[in-house]
Amino acid sequence: MKAIVLRAPGEAALEQVPEAKTMGDHDILLHVRRIGLCGSDLNSYRGRNPLVTYPRILGHEIAATVAALNPLHPEWPEGTDVTGSPYTNCGQCASCRRGRSNACQFNQTFGVQRDGALAEFIAVPADRLYRASLTLKELCLVEPLTVGFHAAARGRVASGDTVAVIGCGGVGLGAVAGAAFRGGAVIGIDVDDSKLATARKAGAAHTINTTTADLHTQLSQLTGARGPDVIVEAIGLPQTFRAAVEEVAFTGRVVYIGYAKQEVAYETRLFVQKELDILGSRNAQPEDFRDVIRMLEEHRFPVDDAITHVVPMDEAPAILAAWDRDPAHFGKIMIEVS
Ligand SMILES: NC(=O)c1ccc[n+]([C@@H]2O[C@H](COP(=O)([O-])OP(=O)(O)OC[C@H]3O[C@@H](n4cnc5c(N)ncnc54)[C@H](O)[C@@H]3O)[C@@H](O)[C@H]2O)c1
Ligand SMILES: [Zn+2]
Ligand SMILES: [Zn+2]
C-alpha cells in the first residue's frame, strides 16, 4: 500500500510499504480517507520532537471507513465511516489506574512513537473508534478539537464562568469551542485577527488582539476587574504562561495545554495568594471525543474556516515543505488519501 514516510527530518516521500494487518483480535481494518495535519506533525517533520524516531509514517487525525468486518465486532460493519483515537494506554501506570488513560505514562501516539495513519489502510482497536453523523472532513476534525475540549473539562468550565483562551490556533480553537459548548462566556486572545475571527465563529463572545490592545486592561473591563474564572494557555510561551497566573481571578483555574519550549520563571506568591488551581491538560478522554462529535453534529463549529488546505496524498511531501517554510500561511491542512 502507499504511505507518506518521513525518512529523516525534512524528507517526506510517498512510498510503497507492507499492507496494514490487524494484529490484535479486536483490531478493525480501516480504509483511510482523510488525514489532518497539526503542529506536532510539523515538529516531527522538522526533527524537533524527541519522541519521534525515523523512518516514521505520520498522521493521527483520522477519517476512515471500515474496510472489513471483524466477526468479533459486528458493531463495526464494513463501510461505516469512523474517526479514531490515536493514543494507546498501558493499563498499569498511575494515570491508567486512575482512569485517566489520556495521560498514560507509556502512551504511544500514531505518527509519533509508532507509525501513523497517512497510509491507505490502518488497523485500530475497536474500542478506539467513534462513529458519527458527520462528513469525512468533519470526522477528520474531531481529534484536534478534543484536545481543547479536554482542557475545558479540566478547567471544570460551567455556565456562568468567564473563560479566556490565550492562543486561538489549532489547539486553542478547540478550547474556545469546548468552553462555549460547556456554557462559558469565552474571550479569545491572539496576535492574529484572522485566528480571532474564526474564534468568534467557534463561540468566543469577545476577542482581544494583544498586538493592538492591552491584555490586562481589556480583561479587567470584560470581567468587572475580577479577571477570568478560567484561563487556558494554548501557545507555550513563557510570557503567556505567566499572564495566565497574573490575569486569572482569585480562586480561579489555570489550564496549561501549551508545551513551553523554555523555562518559565514565576511569581509563585500568586499561586498561594489567589489559591489557584493550576492544571495540566494532555490529549483527550473518550467523553471529549463524544462531546466534540455532538458539537459538530449540531453544526456549532465553523468547519470550513478552520480548514485552509486540502491536497491529494501525492502532494503531501510538497505541502509539508511549504508549511515548514511559511507556517503562518497555513491553518488546518488535510490530506485526501482515497
Ligand atoms: N497538551 C496537549 O495534549 C497538546 C496537544 C497538541 C499540542 N499541544 C501544544 O499546544 C500548543 C499550541 O499548538 P497549536 O497547534 O494550536 O499551535 P498554533 O501555532 O496553531 O497556535 C498558536 C496560536 O498562538 C498565537 N500566538 C502566538 N504568539 C502569541 C502571543 N504572544 N499572544 C497571543 N497569541 C499568540 C498564534 O497566532 C496562533 O494562533 C503548542 O505548545 C503545542 O505543543 C499540546
Ligand atoms: Zn494533531
Ligand atoms: Zn498507562
Side-chain angles (χ1 to χ4, degrees), residues 194-231:
S194 70
K195 299 288 170 79
L196 292 173
T198 310
R200 277 194 293 276
K201 292 188 188 173
H206 301 278
T207 53
I208 302 171
N209 184 327
T210 52
T211 60
T212 52
D214 179 62
L215 181 64
H216 178 72
T217 310
Q218 296 294 313
L219 287 177
S220 292
Q221 273 174 13
L222 290 168
T223 60
R226 285 186 297 275
D229 302 298
V230 181
I231 296 192

PDB file of all heavy atoms in Angstrom, residues 194-231:
ATOM      1  N   SER A 194      -7.149  37.059  11.930  1.00  0.00           N
ATOM      2  CA  SER A 194      -7.902  36.003  11.239  1.00  0.00           C
ATOM      3  C   SER A 194      -8.183  34.842  12.199  1.00  0.00           C
ATOM      4  O   SER A 194      -9.254  34.229  12.152  1.00  0.00           O
ATOM      5  CB  SER A 194      -7.167  35.534   9.982  1.00  0.00           C
ATOM      6  OG  SER A 194      -6.007  34.824  10.341  1.00  0.00           O
ATOM      7  N   LYS A 195      -7.243  34.542  13.110  1.00  0.00           N
ATOM      8  CA  LYS A 195      -7.490  33.492  14.117  1.00  0.00           C
ATOM      9  C   LYS A 195      -8.637  33.917  15.036  1.00  0.00           C
ATOM     10  O   LYS A 195      -9.475  33.110  15.429  1.00  0.00           O
ATOM     11  CB  LYS A 195      -6.229  33.228  14.955  1.00  0.00           C
ATOM     12  CG  LYS A 195      -5.025  32.749  14.162  1.00  0.00           C
ATOM     13  CD  LYS A 195      -5.207  31.324  13.677  1.00  0.00           C
ATOM     14  CE  LYS A 195      -4.160  30.890  12.682  1.00  0.00           C
ATOM     15  NZ  LYS A 195      -2.888  30.519  13.187  1.00  0.00           N
ATOM     16  N   LEU A 196      -8.658  35.215  15.353  1.00  0.00           N
ATOM     17  CA  LEU A 196      -9.707  35.710  16.256  1.00  0.00           C
ATOM     18  C   LEU A 196     -11.076  35.698  15.579  1.00  0.00           C
ATOM     19  O   LEU A 196     -12.087  35.434  16.232  1.00  0.00           O
ATOM     20  CB  LEU A 196      -9.342  37.119  16.753  1.00  0.00           C
ATOM     21  CG  LEU A 196      -8.113  37.141  17.684  1.00  0.00           C
ATOM     22  CD1 LEU A 196      -7.707  38.572  18.010  1.00  0.00           C
ATOM     23  CD2 LEU A 196      -8.398  36.366  18.976  1.00  0.00           C
ATOM     24  N   ALA A 197     -11.096  35.952  14.279  1.00  0.00           N
ATOM     25  CA  ALA A 197     -12.377  35.916  13.549  1.00  0.00           C
ATOM     26  C   ALA A 197     -12.939  34.490  13.594  1.00  0.00           C
ATOM     27  O   ALA A 197     -14.141  34.283  13.823  1.00  0.00           O
ATOM     28  CB  ALA A 197     -12.170  36.372  12.112  1.00  0.00           C
ATOM     29  N   THR A 198     -12.082  33.485  13.391  1.00  0.00           N
ATOM     30  CA  THR A 198     -12.547  32.088  13.468  1.00  0.00           C
ATOM     31  C   THR A 198     -12.972  31.746  14.897  1.00  0.00           C
ATOM     32  O   THR A 198     -13.962  31.048  15.107  1.00  0.00           O
ATOM     33  CB  THR A 198     -11.443  31.123  12.982  1.00  0.00           C
ATOM     34  OG1 THR A 198     -10.966  31.583  11.723  1.00  0.00           O
ATOM     35  CG2 THR A 198     -11.961  29.708  12.830  1.00  0.00           C
ATOM     36  N   ALA A 199     -12.236  32.275  15.882  1.00  0.00           N
ATOM     37  CA  ALA A 199     -12.587  32.016  17.289  1.00  0.00           C
ATOM     38  C   ALA A 199     -13.991  32.546  17.599  1.00  0.00           C
ATOM     39  O   ALA A 199     -14.767  31.900  18.315  1.00  0.00           O
ATOM     40  CB  ALA A 199     -11.558  32.648  18.219  1.00  0.00           C
ATOM     41  N   ARG A 200     -14.322  33.700  17.044  1.00  0.00           N
ATOM     42  CA  ARG A 200     -15.682  34.233  17.276  1.00  0.00           C
ATOM     43  C   ARG A 200     -16.720  33.282  16.697  1.00  0.00           C
ATOM     44  O   ARG A 200     -17.739  32.987  17.333  1.00  0.00           O
ATOM     45  CB  ARG A 200     -15.822  35.640  16.689  1.00  0.00           C
ATOM     46  CG  ARG A 200     -15.283  36.727  17.628  1.00  0.00           C
ATOM     47  CD  ARG A 200     -15.727  38.125  17.191  1.00  0.00           C
ATOM     48  NE  ARG A 200     -15.117  38.497  15.926  1.00  0.00           N
ATOM     49  CZ  ARG A 200     -13.896  39.025  15.801  1.00  0.00           C
ATOM     50  NH1 ARG A 200     -13.150  39.253  16.875  1.00  0.00           N
ATOM     51  NH2 ARG A 200     -13.415  39.326  14.609  1.00  0.00           N
ATOM     52  N   LYS A 201     -16.452  32.770  15.499  1.00  0.00           N
ATOM     53  CA  LYS A 201     -17.416  31.830  14.899  1.00  0.00           C
ATOM     54  C   LYS A 201     -17.492  30.522  15.686  1.00  0.00           C
ATOM     55  O   LYS A 201     -18.484  29.806  15.622  1.00  0.00           O
ATOM     56  CB  LYS A 201     -17.027  31.523  13.451  1.00  0.00           C
ATOM     57  CG  LYS A 201     -17.189  32.725  12.538  1.00  0.00           C
ATOM     58  CD  LYS A 201     -16.987  32.292  11.093  1.00  0.00           C
ATOM     59  CE  LYS A 201     -16.957  33.489  10.167  1.00  0.00           C
ATOM     60  NZ  LYS A 201     -16.605  33.119   8.796  1.00  0.00           N
ATOM     61  N   ALA A 202     -16.418  30.194  16.416  1.00  0.00           N
ATOM     62  CA  ALA A 202     -16.395  28.947  17.205  1.00  0.00           C
ATOM     63  C   ALA A 202     -16.983  29.148  18.597  1.00  0.00           C
ATOM     64  O   ALA A 202     -17.010  28.212  19.390  1.00  0.00           O
ATOM     65  CB  ALA A 202     -14.968  28.429  17.307  1.00  0.00           C
ATOM     66  N   GLY A 203     -17.414  30.385  18.907  1.00  0.00           N
ATOM     67  CA  GLY A 203     -18.105  30.578  20.185  1.00  0.00           C
ATOM     68  C   GLY A 203     -17.534  31.641  21.105  1.00  0.00           C
ATOM     69  O   GLY A 203     -18.061  31.842  22.205  1.00  0.00           O
ATOM     70  N   ALA A 204     -16.455  32.340  20.708  1.00  0.00           N
ATOM     71  CA  ALA A 204     -15.925  33.407  21.567  1.00  0.00           C
ATOM     72  C   ALA A 204     -16.856  34.622  21.496  1.00  0.00           C
ATOM     73  O   ALA A 204     -17.147  35.115  20.411  1.00  0.00           O
ATOM     74  CB  ALA A 204     -14.514  33.793  21.126  1.00  0.00           C
ATOM     75  N   ALA A 205     -17.300  35.090  22.668  1.00  0.00           N
ATOM     76  CA  ALA A 205     -18.173  36.270  22.705  1.00  0.00           C
ATOM     77  C   ALA A 205     -17.341  37.533  22.519  1.00  0.00           C
ATOM     78  O   ALA A 205     -17.827  38.536  22.002  1.00  0.00           O
ATOM     79  CB  ALA A 205     -18.916  36.306  24.040  1.00  0.00           C
ATOM     80  N   HIS A 206     -16.084  37.489  22.974  1.00  0.00           N
ATOM     81  CA  HIS A 206     -15.180  38.639  22.856  1.00  0.00           C
ATOM     82  C   HIS A 206     -13.831  38.136  22.385  1.00  0.00           C
ATOM     83  O   HIS A 206     -13.468  36.989  22.649  1.00  0.00           O
ATOM     84  CB  HIS A 206     -14.997  39.327  24.206  1.00  0.00           C
ATOM     85  CG  HIS A 206     -16.268  39.826  24.796  1.00  0.00           C
ATOM     86  ND1 HIS A 206     -16.846  41.013  24.447  1.00  0.00           N
ATOM     87  CD2 HIS A 206     -17.088  39.259  25.717  1.00  0.00           C
ATOM     88  CE1 HIS A 206     -17.972  41.169  25.114  1.00  0.00           C
ATOM     89  NE2 HIS A 206     -18.156  40.119  25.898  1.00  0.00           N
ATOM     90  N   THR A 207     -13.064  39.032  21.747  1.00  0.00           N
ATOM     91  CA  THR A 207     -11.696  38.676  21.383  1.00  0.00           C
ATOM     92  C   THR A 207     -10.778  39.854  21.692  1.00  0.00           C
ATOM     93  O   THR A 207     -11.220  41.007  21.706  1.00  0.00           O
ATOM     94  CB  THR A 207     -11.574  38.324  19.882  1.00  0.00           C
ATOM     95  OG1 THR A 207     -12.119  39.386  19.109  1.00  0.00           O
ATOM     96  CG2 THR A 207     -12.280  37.024  19.555  1.00  0.00           C
ATOM     97  N   ILE A 208      -9.518  39.539  21.953  1.00  0.00           N
ATOM     98  CA  ILE A 208      -8.506  40.565  22.233  1.00  0.00           C
ATOM     99  C   ILE A 208      -7.293  40.258  21.367  1.00  0.00           C
ATOM    100  O   ILE A 208      -6.745  39.144  21.425  1.00  0.00           O
ATOM    101  CB  ILE A 208      -8.085  40.544  23.724  1.00  0.00           C
ATOM    102  CG1 ILE A 208      -9.293  40.762  24.642  1.00  0.00           C
ATOM    103  CG2 ILE A 208      -7.000  41.607  23.986  1.00  0.00           C
ATOM    104  CD1 ILE A 208      -8.986  40.545  26.132  1.00  0.00           C
ATOM    105  N   ASN A 209      -6.885  41.237  20.556  1.00  0.00           N
ATOM    106  CA  ASN A 209      -5.625  41.119  19.823  1.00  0.00           C
ATOM    107  C   ASN A 209      -4.576  41.859  20.637  1.00  0.00           C
ATOM    108  O   ASN A 209      -4.636  43.090  20.777  1.00  0.00           O
ATOM    109  CB  ASN A 209      -5.758  41.709  18.416  1.00  0.00           C
ATOM    110  CG  ASN A 209      -4.483  41.495  17.613  1.00  0.00           C
ATOM    111  OD1 ASN A 209      -3.373  41.501  18.171  1.00  0.00           O
ATOM    112  ND2 ASN A 209      -4.625  41.291  16.318  1.00  0.00           N
ATOM    113  N   THR A 210      -3.630  41.112  21.196  1.00  0.00           N
ATOM    114  CA  THR A 210      -2.673  41.718  22.136  1.00  0.00           C
ATOM    115  C   THR A 210      -1.578  42.526  21.431  1.00  0.00           C
ATOM    116  O   THR A 210      -0.738  43.114  22.103  1.00  0.00           O
ATOM    117  CB  THR A 210      -2.018  40.649  23.035  1.00  0.00           C
ATOM    118  OG1 THR A 210      -1.488  39.615  22.201  1.00  0.00           O
ATOM    119  CG2 THR A 210      -3.006  40.063  24.015  1.00  0.00           C
ATOM    120  N   THR A 211      -1.597  42.567  20.095  1.00  0.00           N
ATOM    121  CA  THR A 211      -0.649  43.475  19.427  1.00  0.00           C
ATOM    122  C   THR A 211      -1.211  44.899  19.387  1.00  0.00           C
ATOM    123  O   THR A 211      -0.463  45.852  19.206  1.00  0.00           O
ATOM    124  CB  THR A 211      -0.332  43.031  17.972  1.00  0.00           C
ATOM    125  OG1 THR A 211      -1.553  43.029  17.225  1.00  0.00           O
ATOM    126  CG2 THR A 211       0.301  41.662  17.938  1.00  0.00           C
ATOM    127  N   THR A 212      -2.539  45.025  19.557  1.00  0.00           N
ATOM    128  CA  THR A 212      -3.136  46.362  19.459  1.00  0.00           C
ATOM    129  C   THR A 212      -3.862  46.784  20.737  1.00  0.00           C
ATOM    130  O   THR A 212      -4.282  47.933  20.854  1.00  0.00           O
ATOM    131  CB  THR A 212      -4.149  46.418  18.283  1.00  0.00           C
ATOM    132  OG1 THR A 212      -5.061  45.326  18.421  1.00  0.00           O
ATOM    133  CG2 THR A 212      -3.434  46.308  16.939  1.00  0.00           C
ATOM    134  N   ALA A 213      -4.044  45.859  21.694  1.00  0.00           N
ATOM    135  CA  ALA A 213      -4.771  46.204  22.921  1.00  0.00           C
ATOM    136  C   ALA A 213      -4.022  45.630  24.113  1.00  0.00           C
ATOM    137  O   ALA A 213      -3.330  44.617  23.990  1.00  0.00           O
ATOM    138  CB  ALA A 213      -6.184  45.640  22.860  1.00  0.00           C
ATOM    139  N   ASP A 214      -4.179  46.281  25.264  1.00  0.00           N
ATOM    140  CA  ASP A 214      -3.505  45.808  26.478  1.00  0.00           C
ATOM    141  C   ASP A 214      -4.336  44.704  27.137  1.00  0.00           C
ATOM    142  O   ASP A 214      -5.515  44.912  27.453  1.00  0.00           O
ATOM    143  CB  ASP A 214      -3.308  46.979  27.445  1.00  0.00           C
ATOM    144  CG  ASP A 214      -2.630  46.513  28.729  1.00  0.00           C
ATOM    145  OD1 ASP A 214      -1.487  46.041  28.650  1.00  0.00           O
ATOM    146  OD2 ASP A 214      -3.277  46.562  29.796  1.00  0.00           O
ATOM    147  N   LEU A 215      -3.709  43.555  27.334  1.00  0.00           N
ATOM    148  CA  LEU A 215      -4.430  42.370  27.824  1.00  0.00           C
ATOM    149  C   LEU A 215      -5.093  42.641  29.173  1.00  0.00           C
ATOM    150  O   LEU A 215      -6.282  42.370  29.369  1.00  0.00           O
ATOM    151  CB  LEU A 215      -3.462  41.180  27.929  1.00  0.00           C
ATOM    152  CG  LEU A 215      -4.088  39.874  28.407  1.00  0.00           C
ATOM    153  CD1 LEU A 215      -5.132  39.363  27.411  1.00  0.00           C
ATOM    154  CD2 LEU A 215      -3.021  38.802  28.616  1.00  0.00           C
ATOM    155  N   HIS A 216      -4.318  43.187  30.112  1.00  0.00           N
ATOM    156  CA  HIS A 216      -4.852  43.395  31.465  1.00  0.00           C
ATOM    157  C   HIS A 216      -6.043  44.361  31.459  1.00  0.00           C
ATOM    158  O   HIS A 216      -7.077  44.093  32.078  1.00  0.00           O
ATOM    159  CB  HIS A 216      -3.741  43.905  32.386  1.00  0.00           C
ATOM    160  CG  HIS A 216      -4.238  44.172  33.764  1.00  0.00           C
ATOM    161  ND1 HIS A 216      -4.572  43.150  34.633  1.00  0.00           N
ATOM    162  CD2 HIS A 216      -4.529  45.338  34.401  1.00  0.00           C
ATOM    163  CE1 HIS A 216      -5.018  43.681  35.764  1.00  0.00           C
ATOM    164  NE2 HIS A 216      -5.005  45.006  35.643  1.00  0.00           N
ATOM    165  N   THR A 217      -5.903  45.471  30.726  1.00  0.00           N
ATOM    166  CA  THR A 217      -6.981  46.465  30.675  1.00  0.00           C
ATOM    167  C   THR A 217      -8.249  45.850  30.088  1.00  0.00           C
ATOM    168  O   THR A 217      -9.346  46.013  30.632  1.00  0.00           O
ATOM    169  CB  THR A 217      -6.537  47.664  29.800  1.00  0.00           C
ATOM    170  OG1 THR A 217      -5.263  48.079  30.251  1.00  0.00           O
ATOM    171  CG2 THR A 217      -7.516  48.811  29.865  1.00  0.00           C
ATOM    172  N   GLN A 218      -8.080  45.110  28.989  1.00  0.00           N
ATOM    173  CA  GLN A 218      -9.241  44.520  28.325  1.00  0.00           C
ATOM    174  C   GLN A 218      -9.921  43.478  29.210  1.00  0.00           C
ATOM    175  O   GLN A 218     -11.147  43.470  29.328  1.00  0.00           O
ATOM    176  CB  GLN A 218      -8.820  43.855  27.002  1.00  0.00           C
ATOM    177  CG  GLN A 218      -8.280  44.815  25.972  1.00  0.00           C
ATOM    178  CD  GLN A 218      -9.351  45.786  25.487  1.00  0.00           C
ATOM    179  OE1 GLN A 218     -10.456  45.374  25.163  1.00  0.00           O
ATOM    180  NE2 GLN A 218      -9.032  47.063  25.476  1.00  0.00           N
ATOM    181  N   LEU A 219      -9.108  42.604  29.818  1.00  0.00           N
ATOM    182  CA  LEU A 219      -9.711  41.558  30.668  1.00  0.00           C
ATOM    183  C   LEU A 219     -10.408  42.187  31.865  1.00  0.00           C
ATOM    184  O   LEU A 219     -11.483  41.733  32.281  1.00  0.00           O
ATOM    185  CB  LEU A 219      -8.643  40.548  31.117  1.00  0.00           C
ATOM    186  CG  LEU A 219      -8.129  39.586  30.046  1.00  0.00           C
ATOM    187  CD1 LEU A 219      -7.026  38.692  30.612  1.00  0.00           C
ATOM    188  CD2 LEU A 219      -9.273  38.724  29.482  1.00  0.00           C
ATOM    189  N   SER A 220      -9.832  43.243  32.432  1.00  0.00           N
ATOM    190  CA  SER A 220     -10.470  43.927  33.570  1.00  0.00           C
ATOM    191  C   SER A 220     -11.825  44.475  33.163  1.00  0.00           C
ATOM    192  O   SER A 220     -12.820  44.305  33.872  1.00  0.00           O
ATOM    193  CB  SER A 220      -9.596  45.084  34.060  1.00  0.00           C
ATOM    194  OG  SER A 220      -8.443  44.580  34.637  1.00  0.00           O
ATOM    195  N   GLN A 221     -11.855  45.109  31.990  1.00  0.00           N
ATOM    196  CA  GLN A 221     -13.119  45.689  31.524  1.00  0.00           C
ATOM    197  C   GLN A 221     -14.186  44.617  31.306  1.00  0.00           C
ATOM    198  O   GLN A 221     -15.354  44.819  31.626  1.00  0.00           O
ATOM    199  CB  GLN A 221     -12.902  46.428  30.201  1.00  0.00           C
ATOM    200  CG  GLN A 221     -12.468  47.874  30.414  1.00  0.00           C
ATOM    201  CD  GLN A 221     -12.108  48.551  29.103  1.00  0.00           C
ATOM    202  OE1 GLN A 221     -12.400  48.032  28.025  1.00  0.00           O
ATOM    203  NE2 GLN A 221     -11.470  49.716  29.208  1.00  0.00           N
ATOM    204  N   LEU A 222     -13.745  43.474  30.789  1.00  0.00           N
ATOM    205  CA  LEU A 222     -14.722  42.431  30.446  1.00  0.00           C
ATOM    206  C   LEU A 222     -15.183  41.619  31.652  1.00  0.00           C
ATOM    207  O   LEU A 222     -16.166  40.885  31.562  1.00  0.00           O
ATOM    208  CB  LEU A 222     -14.113  41.478  29.402  1.00  0.00           C
ATOM    209  CG  LEU A 222     -13.922  42.064  27.996  1.00  0.00           C
ATOM    210  CD1 LEU A 222     -13.049  41.134  27.139  1.00  0.00           C
ATOM    211  CD2 LEU A 222     -15.275  42.282  27.325  1.00  0.00           C
ATOM    212  N   THR A 223     -14.462  41.741  32.776  1.00  0.00           N
ATOM    213  CA  THR A 223     -14.785  40.867  33.928  1.00  0.00           C
ATOM    214  C   THR A 223     -15.062  41.664  35.202  1.00  0.00           C
ATOM    215  O   THR A 223     -14.961  41.105  36.303  1.00  0.00           O
ATOM    216  CB  THR A 223     -13.617  39.896  34.212  1.00  0.00           C
ATOM    217  OG1 THR A 223     -12.448  40.668  34.514  1.00  0.00           O
ATOM    218  CG2 THR A 223     -13.337  38.975  33.041  1.00  0.00           C
ATOM    219  N   GLY A 224     -15.399  42.927  35.072  1.00  0.00           N
ATOM    220  CA  GLY A 224     -15.665  43.734  36.265  1.00  0.00           C
ATOM    221  C   GLY A 224     -14.461  43.763  37.189  1.00  0.00           C
ATOM    222  O   GLY A 224     -14.608  43.700  38.411  1.00  0.00           O
ATOM    223  N   ALA A 225     -13.266  43.803  36.620  1.00  0.00           N
ATOM    224  CA  ALA A 225     -11.980  43.896  37.330  1.00  0.00           C
ATOM    225  C   ALA A 225     -11.600  42.629  38.102  1.00  0.00           C
ATOM    226  O   ALA A 225     -10.570  42.592  38.771  1.00  0.00           O
ATOM    227  CB  ALA A 225     -11.934  45.120  38.261  1.00  0.00           C
ATOM    228  N   ARG A 226     -12.413  41.573  38.026  1.00  0.00           N
ATOM    229  CA  ARG A 226     -12.085  40.350  38.777  1.00  0.00           C
ATOM    230  C   ARG A 226     -11.089  39.461  38.050  1.00  0.00           C
ATOM    231  O   ARG A 226     -10.362  38.703  38.684  1.00  0.00           O
ATOM    232  CB  ARG A 226     -13.357  39.532  39.045  1.00  0.00           C
ATOM    233  CG  ARG A 226     -14.243  40.106  40.144  1.00  0.00           C
ATOM    234  CD  ARG A 226     -15.401  39.162  40.454  1.00  0.00           C
ATOM    235  NE  ARG A 226     -16.283  38.997  39.317  1.00  0.00           N
ATOM    236  CZ  ARG A 226     -17.286  39.831  39.014  1.00  0.00           C
ATOM    237  NH1 ARG A 226     -17.542  40.865  39.784  1.00  0.00           N
ATOM    238  NH2 ARG A 226     -18.036  39.633  37.959  1.00  0.00           N
ATOM    239  N   GLY A 227     -11.102  39.509  36.733  1.00  0.00           N
ATOM    240  CA  GLY A 227     -10.288  38.568  35.960  1.00  0.00           C
ATOM    241  C   GLY A 227     -11.129  37.355  35.588  1.00  0.00           C
ATOM    242  O   GLY A 227     -12.144  37.071  36.234  1.00  0.00           O
ATOM    243  N   PRO A 228     -10.733  36.612  34.537  1.00  0.00           N
ATOM    244  CA  PRO A 228     -11.496  35.427  34.125  1.00  0.00           C
ATOM    245  C   PRO A 228     -11.471  34.331  35.197  1.00  0.00           C
ATOM    246  O   PRO A 228     -10.479  34.176  35.907  1.00  0.00           O
ATOM    247  CB  PRO A 228     -10.757  34.948  32.869  1.00  0.00           C
ATOM    248  CG  PRO A 228      -9.920  36.102  32.424  1.00  0.00           C
ATOM    249  CD  PRO A 228      -9.581  36.887  33.650  1.00  0.00           C
ATOM    250  N   ASP A 229     -12.548  33.573  35.284  1.00  0.00           N
ATOM    251  CA  ASP A 229     -12.608  32.441  36.234  1.00  0.00           C
ATOM    252  C   ASP A 229     -11.652  31.335  35.811  1.00  0.00           C
ATOM    253  O   ASP A 229     -11.092  30.634  36.654  1.00  0.00           O
ATOM    254  CB  ASP A 229     -14.034  31.879  36.274  1.00  0.00           C
ATOM    255  CG  ASP A 229     -15.039  32.949  36.659  1.00  0.00           C
ATOM    256  OD1 ASP A 229     -14.926  33.470  37.782  1.00  0.00           O
ATOM    257  OD2 ASP A 229     -15.887  33.306  35.813  1.00  0.00           O
ATOM    258  N   VAL A 230     -11.502  31.170  34.494  1.00  0.00           N
ATOM    259  CA  VAL A 230     -10.627  30.116  33.963  1.00  0.00           C
ATOM    260  C   VAL A 230      -9.774  30.744  32.863  1.00  0.00           C
ATOM    261  O   VAL A 230     -10.298  31.503  32.041  1.00  0.00           O
ATOM    262  CB  VAL A 230     -11.446  28.944  33.354  1.00  0.00           C
ATOM    263  CG1 VAL A 230     -10.518  27.846  32.818  1.00  0.00           C
ATOM    264  CG2 VAL A 230     -12.428  28.381  34.368  1.00  0.00           C
ATOM    265  N   ILE A 231      -8.478  30.433  32.859  1.00  0.00           N
ATOM    266  CA  ILE A 231      -7.635  30.814  31.721  1.00  0.00           C
ATOM    267  C   ILE A 231      -6.974  29.559  31.175  1.00  0.00           C
ATOM    268  O   ILE A 231      -6.404  28.765  31.924  1.00  0.00           O
ATOM    269  CB  ILE A 231      -6.572  31.868  32.102  1.00  0.00           C
ATOM    270  CG1 ILE A 231      -7.264  33.191  32.525  1.00  0.00           C
ATOM    271  CG2 ILE A 231      -5.629  32.120  30.923  1.00  0.00           C
ATOM    272  CD1 ILE A 231      -6.350  34.388  32.660  1.00  0.00           C
TER     273      ILE A 231
END
